[in-house]
PDB file of all heavy atoms in Angstrom:
ATOM      1  N   THR A  19      -1.506  21.188 -14.903  1.00  0.00           N
ATOM      2  CA  THR A  19      -2.703  21.994 -15.007  1.00  0.00           C
ATOM      3  C   THR A  19      -2.744  23.204 -14.110  1.00  0.00           C
ATOM      4  O   THR A  19      -3.490  24.145 -14.313  1.00  0.00           O
ATOM      5  CB  THR A  19      -3.962  21.170 -14.697  1.00  0.00           C
ATOM      6  OG1 THR A  19      -3.904  20.746 -13.319  1.00  0.00           O
ATOM      7  CG2 THR A  19      -4.010  19.912 -15.577  1.00  0.00           C
ATOM      8  N   THR A  28      -7.683  14.676  -1.964  1.00  0.00           N
ATOM      9  CA  THR A  28      -8.689  14.302  -0.940  1.00  0.00           C
ATOM     10  C   THR A  28      -9.697  13.303  -1.466  1.00  0.00           C
ATOM     11  O   THR A  28      -9.983  12.281  -0.811  1.00  0.00           O
ATOM     12  CB  THR A  28      -9.394  15.564  -0.391  1.00  0.00           C
ATOM     13  OG1 THR A  28      -8.379  16.463   0.116  1.00  0.00           O
ATOM     14  CG2 THR A  28     -10.328  15.209   0.724  1.00  0.00           C
ATOM     15  N   ARG A  62       8.062  34.642  -4.035  1.00  0.00           N
ATOM     16  CA  ARG A  62       8.639  35.807  -3.335  1.00  0.00           C
ATOM     17  C   ARG A  62       9.940  36.254  -3.971  1.00  0.00           C
ATOM     18  O   ARG A  62      10.197  37.448  -4.128  1.00  0.00           O
ATOM     19  CB  ARG A  62       8.853  35.427  -1.864  1.00  0.00           C
ATOM     20  CG  ARG A  62       9.408  36.618  -1.039  1.00  0.00           C
ATOM     21  CD  ARG A  62       9.499  36.247   0.409  1.00  0.00           C
ATOM     22  NE  ARG A  62       9.936  37.372   1.207  1.00  0.00           N
ATOM     23  CZ  ARG A  62      10.056  37.361   2.522  1.00  0.00           C
ATOM     24  NH1 ARG A  62       9.775  36.283   3.234  1.00  0.00           N
ATOM     25  NH2 ARG A  62      10.464  38.429   3.162  1.00  0.00           N
ATOM     26  N   ASN A  65       9.193  38.196  -6.906  1.00  0.00           N
ATOM     27  CA  ASN A  65       8.417  39.402  -6.588  1.00  0.00           C
ATOM     28  C   ASN A  65       7.046  39.365  -7.249  1.00  0.00           C
ATOM     29  O   ASN A  65       6.573  40.374  -7.784  1.00  0.00           O
ATOM     30  CB  ASN A  65       9.189  40.656  -6.999  1.00  0.00           C
ATOM     31  CG  ASN A  65       8.649  41.925  -6.351  1.00  0.00           C
ATOM     32  OD1 ASN A  65       8.119  41.868  -5.224  1.00  0.00           O
ATOM     33  ND2 ASN A  65       8.757  43.041  -7.026  1.00  0.00           N
ATOM     34  N   THR A  66       6.405  38.211  -7.198  1.00  0.00           N
ATOM     35  CA  THR A  66       5.061  38.067  -7.795  1.00  0.00           C
ATOM     36  C   THR A  66       3.993  37.782  -6.722  1.00  0.00           C
ATOM     37  O   THR A  66       3.080  36.977  -6.973  1.00  0.00           O
ATOM     38  CB  THR A  66       5.077  36.937  -8.833  1.00  0.00           C
ATOM     39  OG1 THR A  66       5.623  35.744  -8.258  1.00  0.00           O
ATOM     40  CG2 THR A  66       5.886  37.326 -10.041  1.00  0.00           C
ATOM     41  N   GLU A  92     -16.355  20.534  18.416  1.00  0.00           N
ATOM     42  CA  GLU A  92     -17.591  20.535  19.190  1.00  0.00           C
ATOM     43  C   GLU A  92     -18.589  19.487  18.645  1.00  0.00           C
ATOM     44  O   GLU A  92     -19.261  18.795  19.412  1.00  0.00           O
ATOM     45  CB  GLU A  92     -18.256  21.924  19.120  1.00  0.00           C
ATOM     46  CG  GLU A  92     -19.513  22.058  19.958  1.00  0.00           C
ATOM     47  CD  GLU A  92     -19.271  21.981  21.442  1.00  0.00           C
ATOM     48  OE1 GLU A  92     -18.116  22.271  21.884  1.00  0.00           O
ATOM     49  OE2 GLU A  92     -20.189  21.654  22.183  1.00  0.00           O
ATOM     50  N   VAL A 112     -15.355  20.185  -4.937  1.00  0.00           N
ATOM     51  CA  VAL A 112     -14.860  19.665  -6.220  1.00  0.00           C
ATOM     52  C   VAL A 112     -15.653  20.242  -7.373  1.00  0.00           C
ATOM     53  O   VAL A 112     -15.102  20.656  -8.406  1.00  0.00           O
ATOM     54  CB  VAL A 112     -14.938  18.136  -6.221  1.00  0.00           C
ATOM     55  CG1 VAL A 112     -14.690  17.586  -7.632  1.00  0.00           C
ATOM     56  CG2 VAL A 112     -13.915  17.525  -5.277  1.00  0.00           C
ATOM     57  N   VAL A 117     -16.275  24.335 -11.963  1.00  0.00           N
ATOM     58  CA  VAL A 117     -16.780  25.628 -12.477  1.00  0.00           C
ATOM     59  C   VAL A 117     -15.620  26.587 -12.705  1.00  0.00           C
ATOM     60  O   VAL A 117     -15.558  27.275 -13.738  1.00  0.00           O
ATOM     61  CB  VAL A 117     -17.782  26.243 -11.481  1.00  0.00           C
ATOM     62  CG1 VAL A 117     -18.164  27.634 -11.936  1.00  0.00           C
ATOM     63  CG2 VAL A 117     -19.032  25.354 -11.418  1.00  0.00           C
ATOM     64  N   ILE A 159     -12.761  22.530   6.277  1.00  0.00           N
ATOM     65  CA  ILE A 159     -13.716  21.409   6.312  1.00  0.00           C
ATOM     66  C   ILE A 159     -13.416  20.378   5.209  1.00  0.00           C
ATOM     67  O   ILE A 159     -13.546  19.193   5.420  1.00  0.00           O
ATOM     68  CB  ILE A 159     -15.164  21.945   6.132  1.00  0.00           C
ATOM     69  CG1 ILE A 159     -15.546  22.770   7.366  1.00  0.00           C
ATOM     70  CG2 ILE A 159     -16.148  20.779   5.969  1.00  0.00           C
ATOM     71  CD1 ILE A 159     -16.907  23.400   7.261  1.00  0.00           C
ATOM     72  N   LEU A 257     -23.018   9.980  -3.627  1.00  0.00           N
ATOM     73  CA  LEU A 257     -23.838   8.762  -3.574  1.00  0.00           C
ATOM     74  C   LEU A 257     -23.703   8.073  -2.194  1.00  0.00           C
ATOM     75  O   LEU A 257     -22.678   8.157  -1.568  1.00  0.00           O
ATOM     76  CB  LEU A 257     -23.396   7.793  -4.667  1.00  0.00           C
ATOM     77  CG  LEU A 257     -23.659   8.292  -6.098  1.00  0.00           C
ATOM     78  CD1 LEU A 257     -23.127   7.251  -7.081  1.00  0.00           C
ATOM     79  CD2 LEU A 257     -25.135   8.515  -6.323  1.00  0.00           C
TER      80      LEU A 257
END
Side-chain angles (χ1 to χ4, degrees):
T19 66
T28 304
R62 182 174 183 178
N65 198 29
T66 52
E92 184 67 23
V112 169
V117 173
I159 295 175
L257 296 178

